[in-house]
Amino acid sequence: MFDIDGTLTDSVPMYLISVTKSLQALGIKDIDTDYNNYKHHTDSYALRYNYERNFESRMPEGLLHDFEEDLVLQMNKFDPVVEINGAKRLLNFLRAQKIPFCFATGALPKPAILKLEQCNLWYDEQLVATSKTHESREGFVLDAIDRAKQFYQRSEFDQVISVGDGIWDLKTAQNLSLDFVGIGERNKNKLLAAGAAHCFDDLSAFQATLD
């Protein structure tokens, strides 16, 4: 199970800027941009949290849809994102070996799919679980597992490995008793200190342990 931003696609800085600009486009002026310290590291939570702290009222229905649409507009103002080293090769390897995989991302569906497409990474929408339906990572991670069971016609998996780059990915895996693989140098020391047993600089290094 793969996180997307920072794990498969080199998109974190661009995407955080896009989130901020989309919140502004919706009339939210006082934005807490300390995204890494949010209760939930997800788009849907970022919108609701900032809307409610600005307007002191419940977020109206339909605003999440508007937010998702504007995020795509903001992303298209940047150059297309590129893959994290080894992403395409790893996904192709897993497909060739008939090893099931899925995607679990705190982004919303359209921005998530745009990033995968810009990097020419294989996906099926049925395998992409997002924060559109779950603010918490635990929610959409469990959704991703259920989606994979349906897609691959499995009642259970012998092992589920969560692959991510953030502390929030590790904590979610720990909360759900999933195995975890950390990717990237940016958070490597933090991940190891927080209990990650396996961390790799990129996906090519991870795949080398699978060949």
Side-chain angles (χ1 to χ4, degrees):
M1 176 172 48
F2 293 96
D3 171 53
I4 295 179
D5 291 289
T7 301
L8 293 173
T9 66
D10 188 7
S11 51
V12 173
M14 174 279 296
Y15 198 57
L16 293 181
I17 294 172
S18 296
V19 167
T20 301
K21 289 187 175 296
S22 290
L23 291 172
Q24 292 172 336
L26 295 176
I28 301 171
K29 297 180 180 179
D30 181 15
I31 300 168
D32 180 358
T33 57
D34 190 11
Y35 297 114
N36 286 345
N37 288 319
Y38 275 21
K39 178 181 179 181
H40 300 299
H41 198 261
T42 61
D43 288 1
S44 54
Y45 177 76
L47 174 60
R48 184 176 65 81
Y49 167 65
N50 282 289
Y51 183 92
E52 291 180 354
R53 70 192 292 267
N54 272 255
F55 301 110
E56 298 183 350
S57 62
R58 291 190 56 150
M59 187 178 78
E61 291 185 19
L63 196 63
L64 187 61
H65 172 270
D66 295 341
F67 184 47
E68 181 179 14
E69 295 294 329
D70 194 77
L71 274 170
V72 172
L73 294 176
Q74 298 298 337
M75 289 171 62
N76 281 323
K77 296 178 182 180
F78 293 85
D79 292 333
V81 299
V82 297
E83 67 171 312
I84 296 295
N85 185 41
K88 187 188 304 182
R89 183 170 175 266
L90 175 57
L91 296 187
N92 290 341
F93 168 81
L94 295 176
R95 292 187 73 202
Q97 296 297 316
K98 300 188 184 304
I99 299 174
F101 63 90
C102 57
F103 308 89
T105 174
L108 293 170
K110 290 183 180 179
I113 287 170
L114 177 58
K115 284 173 277 193
L116 293 172
E117 291 182 343
Q118 287 180 342
C119 295
N120 195 26
L121 300 178
W122 182 90
Y123 73 94
D124 188 295
E125 287 190 38
Q126 298 176 74
L127 291 171
V128 183
T130 74
S131 69
K132 187 74 175 272
T133 54
H134 299 87
E135 280 191 355
S136 73
R137 300 195 78 84
E138 286 81 1
F140 60 75
V141 163
L142 291 174
D143 182 25
I145 295 171
D146 286 340
R147 286 167 174 262
K149 287 177 181 178
Q150 293 177 30
F151 186 87
Y152 294 104
Q153 298 183 333
R154 302 282 189 89
S155 59
E156 292 295 336
F157 293 112
D158 294 333
Q159 182 183 28
V160 177
I161 301 173
S162 174
V163 184
D165 69 306
I167 288 292
W168 43 88
D169 298 311
L170 172 61
K171 289 181 177 179
T172 301
Q174 291 171 334
N175 290 341
L176 297 176
S177 299
L178 305 176
D179 292 320
F180 178 79
V181 169
I183 299 298
E185 299 181 36
R186 183 169 59 97
N187 293 320
K188 186 174 183 178
N189 290 336
K190 292 180 181 179
L191 290 170
L192 291 170
H198 306 285
C199 290
F200 301 93
D201 290 345
D202 57 30
L203 293 163
S204 290
F206 173 42
Q207 186 180 340
T209 68
L210 305 176
D211 291 333

